[in-house]
Amino acid sequence: MRWFPLLLLALLLPASAAQAQLSGAQLSGLRARVVVEGDTIHLGDLFEDAENGSRALGPAPMPGRRITVEMPQLLAIARTYGVAWRPFSAEERVVIERPGRPLPREEWFEPLRNALIALGMDPDAEVDIPGFAAPMVPPDSLPRVTVEQPSLDENRFAATIAVEADGMPALRLRVAGRVSATVPVAVATRRMSLGEVVKASDVRVQRVRVERSRPGLADDAVLVVGQQLRRPIGEGMPFAVRDLGAPVLIEKNSTVVMVVESNGLTLTAQGRAMADAPRGGIVSVMNLSSRQIVEAQAISPGRVRVGPPPPNQR
């Protein structure tokens, strides 16, 4: 390489000789690691005490990236701009970094989503972009995001995401992926045990891909709240309609008051429920005095009505 003889000479000469060869100038130091805030690299970013350190050398790395200036490049730059510097080894280099932050998902995803909706995508569809990494922008910038040339073919899409921000060149990122239809599903917000009655805070409705759903799942909190679980359910699991039922008002083998209403008279007797029953449910009850089994309707906790309901409740 052309720089090798000069490097060898610089390494062999004593410091005083090297300084004399550089017209007696004080040697500049090398900055091993540099963080630049702007979009331009200056001479002073590489060399300490450079007389014309404000001299622009070229573009800085993109936000969040780094570049390495190796010794041959440093030597060429020093000679070109008259910097009194000599390398002490072939391993000398300068690493230039530029701070950045990833563009938040909502800032690039929402414009893309709106562009796809304008092309006919279902607003509730799920958008999947495999392998996409959010672009980096300067930390304090206010990026402007636009979507160019979007296309949608059934469940496949493509588009170009253009990102502009002060202090960096415009970025254009080509993205492609697929859209998937979704359906609402009611899921548990906590682990619940057999027999618990579902409260409003126990359920949330979220959308899942159609292929991840199955028939018989509750799709609305109204179908779940107030119902009693017929089997346990884990947090985040969907509620199946067949695993829900009206809360048990009368428990099997419990003692109940049997109420008979006729001609304005109300008669009561003790009985034993032969099965569970929800409010308004029909249950077989054994009269504890006569041992006769009759059909009764659960009307309140521990209370059943034998016979037809009063006219005003029919």
Side-chain angles (χ1 to χ4, degrees):
M1 300 180 182
R2 295 181 180 178
W3 52 266
F4 184 77
L6 181 59
L7 171 61
L8 184 60
L9 179 61
L11 291 176
L12 293 177
L13 288 174
S16 58
Q19 292 177 1
Q21 198 170 21
L22 291 169
S23 304
Q26 180 67 34
L27 289 179
S28 296
L30 190 67
R31 304 180 191 275
R33 185 174 294 272
V34 179
V35 176
V36 296
E37 300 290 341
D39 57 356
T40 304
I41 298 175
H42 298 88
L43 191 63
D45 293 326
L46 304 179
F47 302 101
E48 298 175 349
D49 304 321
E51 291 185 2
N52 52 348
S54 61
R55 182 68 177 266
L57 298 180
M62 294 294 289
R65 301 290 182 87
R66 67 174 59 178
I67 60 175
T68 301
V69 185
E70 301 289 350
M71 193 276 292
Q73 296 170 286
L74 293 170
L75 192 59
I77 293 171
R79 294 180 62 184
T80 300
Y81 295 100
V83 179
W85 173 80
R86 68 180 178 89
F88 290 96
S89 80
E91 303 300 323
E92 292 196 64
R93 59 175 56 87
V94 177
V95 177
I96 302 175
E97 299 182 26
R98 187 178 181 189
R101 65 178 177 89
L103 188 65
R105 176 180 171 85
E106 61 273 12
E107 293 188 28
W108 61 264
F109 181 75
E110 285 307 313
L112 174 62
R113 180 182 179 82
N114 292 337
L116 295 178
I117 291 175
L119 293 178
M121 184 187 78
D122 183 346
D124 292 321
E126 184 176 307
V127 180
D128 184 29
I129 311 175
F132 180 76
M136 302 291 287
V137 296
D140 299 324
S141 64
L142 297 175
R144 300 169 294 280
V145 179
T146 56
V147 177
E148 302 174 350
Q149 300 176 331
S151 63
L152 179 64
D153 182 11
E154 295 183 353
N155 65 339
R156 294 285 178 180
F157 75 89
T160 297
I161 298 178
V163 182
E164 296 180 353
D166 294 338
M168 60 172 277
L171 282 177
R172 280 179 169 76
L173 307 173
R174 192 64 179 171
V175 298
R178 66 190 300 265
V179 297
S180 302
T182 63
V183 293
V185 175
V187 300
T189 60
R190 65 180 179 90
R191 183 179 181 83
M192 302 184 69
S193 303
L194 172 68
E196 284 195 70
V197 176
V198 182
K199 302 186 294 293
S201 59
D202 296 330
V203 58
R204 72 172 184 272
V205 176
Q206 65 183 37
R207 300 196 70 88
V208 301
R209 294 182 182 180
V210 172
E211 60 267 25
R212 295 179 182 174
S213 182
R214 65 178 188 271
L217 296 182
D219 59 3
D220 195 316
V222 173
L223 302 175
V224 179
V225 175
Q227 297 294 296
Q228 189 173 38
L229 292 179
R230 294 176 178 172
R231 65 174 60 187
I233 188 171
E235 180 180 352
M237 298 299 293
F239 288 96
V241 175
R242 67 181 181 183
D243 295 335
L244 301 167
V248 172
L249 194 66
I250 303 296
E251 295 185 355
K252 182 179 180 179
N253 292 328
S254 63
T255 300
V256 297
V257 176
M258 304 170 62
V259 179
V260 180
E261 297 176 342
S262 179
N263 297 324
L265 298 177
T266 301
L267 303 176
T268 61
Q270 295 291 312
R272 176 174 290 114
M274 309 301 291
D276 293 338
R279 182 181 297 275
I282 303 301
V283 60
S284 297
V285 179
M286 182 177 67
N287 188 313
L288 295 181
S289 298
S290 65
R291 298 301 190 187
Q292 182 181 2
I293 296 178
V294 297
E295 297 294 311
Q297 183 182 41
I299 57 175
S300 63
R303 196 174 182 88
V304 300
R305 178 188 293 115
V306 179
N312 60 350
Q313 297 183 16
R314 293 178 184 175

